[in-house]
Amino acid sequence: MRHFLSSDAITDLSTILNNIKNIKENPFGNSSLGKNKTMVLLFFNPSLRTRLSTQKAALNLGMHVIPMNVAQGWKIEFEDGTIMNLDKAEHIKEAAAVISQYADVIGIRTFPSLINKEQDYQEMILSQFVKYASVPIVNMESATVHPLQSLTDLFTIEEYKKKTRPKVVLTWAPHPRALPQAVANSFTEWIQKMDYEFVITHPKGYELAPHFTKDCTIEYDQHKAFENADFIYAKNWSSYSDYGKILPTSTNWMITKEKMALTNEAYFMHCLPVRRNVVVEDAVLDSPNSIVIPQAGNRTHAAQAVLTQILNK
Ligand code: CP
């Protein structure tokens, strides 16, 4: 693996899932692999889990880590041929090439505009870094996907599943702000590589991009979707068709104890951060079936498995 940008980077999913298990059992077993190598983490928007887990993963491999918040103050020009006489002081061509002088691996976290669908779905920022950097790039959540999260999610399901072929439900849930489709896209993309029963449930108008959902089962009745589920994965996302918008829909999509009672004592998952009593009620999030904390803990092991593959290459 050179870059880790999406599920396409993983040619052998069962091997990397097994590697994550081994890393979890023995996190310092390869602590010299990244000796004298540096990882630069660029954050165009805030992060708690991705930032700390990726940093910890790199440290466990003996790497140096330089995190950098670039949300404010550093405005990069991404367009080719622009006359740069406005507020953007640096072009991506120099920025990515210069960071490559200091880093052996670059992690990038960037959100979509949620305004320009075409530009977001072309992964304009991430792809420009890939083009102009001379070192491997790790996607720490981009405009349309969050592969480190999804790899973690698959590992967590494998860890907790009680039957070979569990029923996994991705459910839309309400949120006061317009959020990216990245986590839902990515979860959908990765889960189709597993032999699970997979159902997506959301209100009409929240259909994900067809190239992610492909032949997935979409069930508009949330109660029906929850029946006999073994895992409920909740996430809000804004509309793809009415791009970036929150649609007028009822708020009764919140995950409640009553809805969880329809399931096969399902585990509750969410990538976090989560809005309590908006996305999910306290009674579910605080229940023994909520696995959101170990799920977040697994972020480190998944990131470490990805970095191990990159460093070995
Ligand atoms: N799940 C996730 O990516 O969390 P952060 O936004 O805190 O990184």
Side-chain angles (χ1 to χ4, degrees):
M1 180 197 309
R2 174 157 171 82
H3 304 294
F4 181 73
L5 306 177
S6 73
S7 67
D8 292 344
I10 304 297
T11 48
D12 185 347
L13 194 51
S14 66
T15 297
I16 197 160
L17 289 170
N18 200 43
N19 292 347
I20 298 171
K21 184 172 180 283
N22 292 336
I23 285 167
K24 184 167 182 172
E25 284 164 8
N26 183 18
F28 307 112
N30 223 346
S31 58
S32 299
L33 184 66
K35 189 166 182 262
N36 298 330
K37 297 205 182 293
T38 300
M39 183 163 193
V40 170
L41 307 178
L42 295 180
F43 288 91
F44 287 85
N45 56 276
S47 161
L48 170 69
R49 281 143 289 271
T50 307
R51 179 175 178 141
L52 296 184
S53 62
T54 310
Q55 184 158 352
K56 187 163 159 51
L59 291 171
N60 286 354
L61 293 167
M63 300 183 85
H64 301 287
V65 186
I66 307 175
M68 184 174 166
N69 295 331
V70 292
Q72 270 116 33
W74 190 44
K75 291 193 174 144
I76 306 180
E77 179 59 64
F78 288 93
E79 296 294 330
D80 240 351
T82 319
I83 299 169
M84 290 173 58
N85 60 356
L86 295 174
D87 60 336
K88 293 175 181 163
E90 179 142 26
H91 199 279
I92 181 66
K93 286 185 182 179
E94 286 76 50
V98 167
I99 296 165
S100 306
Q101 301 295 305
Y102 313 135
D104 298 284
V105 182
I106 304 173
I108 297 174
R109 168 67 167 254
T110 171
F111 266 16
S113 65
L114 293 181
I115 296 167
N116 186 332
K117 175 152 90 175
E118 197 179 319
Q119 206 170 70
D120 287 345
Y121 272 74
Q122 281 171 355
E123 291 286 4
M124 196 265 289
I125 295 180
L126 190 71
S127 60
Q128 297 266 53
F129 269 99
V130 171
K131 188 170 176 187
Y132 295 117
S134 56
V135 298
I137 302 289
V138 173
N139 182 344
M140 300 195 301
E141 186 173 355
S142 62
T144 67
V145 287
H146 195 353
L148 284 176
Q149 179 69 55
S150 308
L151 178 58
T152 304
D153 297 337
L154 290 199
F155 175 73
T156 307
I157 292 171
E158 283 295 292
E159 226 183 358
Y160 279 84
K161 73 179 187 186
K162 293 178 193 150
K163 59 167 89 138
T164 319
R165 194 169 179 274
K167 178 177 176 183
V168 180
V169 176
L170 169 65
T171 178
W172 184 92
H175 198 281
R177 289 185 53 224
L179 295 185
Q181 294 113 30
V183 169
N185 284 342
S186 207
F187 186 74
T188 300
E189 182 181 47
W190 285 74
I191 207 126
Q192 287 173 82
K193 294 175 187 284
M194 306 297 284
D195 184 22
Y196 299 155
E197 183 185 349
F198 179 53
V199 176
I200 307 174
T201 183
H202 56 70
K204 288 199 170 146
Y206 281 101
E207 290 77 11
L208 294 167
H211 63 272
F212 284 107
T213 51
K214 293 181 183 146
D215 298 325
C216 290
T217 304
I218 317 280
E219 172 56 68
Y220 293 106
D221 181 338
Q222 192 188 33
H223 289 81
K224 202 167 161 202
F226 273 40
E227 281 169 13
N228 295 317
D230 298 296
F231 292 88
I232 297 295
Y233 194 107
K235 183 71 185 87
N236 170 269
W237 60 88
S238 57
S239 174
Y240 173 75
S241 53
D242 195 358
Y243 192 60
K245 297 283 189 312
I246 298 178
L247 307 176
T249 187
S250 65
T251 52
N252 64 9
W253 278 75
M254 182 171 74
I255 316 307
T256 61
K257 207 168 87 174
E258 287 70 31
K259 289 178 191 172
M260 291 299 285
L262 299 168
T263 71
N264 183 27
E265 296 182 8
Y267 288 112
F268 176 79
M269 299 178 73
H270 190 284
C271 64
L272 303 182
V274 68
R275 300 250 183 167
R276 281 177 174 262
N277 303 309
V278 175
V279 170
V280 53
E281 66 178 10
D282 286 342
V284 175
L285 200 53
D286 295 331
S287 76
N289 279 26
S290 170
I291 54 171
V292 297
I293 303 302
Q295 181 187 355
N298 282 338
R299 291 289 306 270
T300 304
H301 318 306
Q304 194 167 328
V306 167
L307 290 178
T308 300
Q309 282 205 7
I310 289 173
L311 293 171
N312 275 330
K313 176 102 173 139

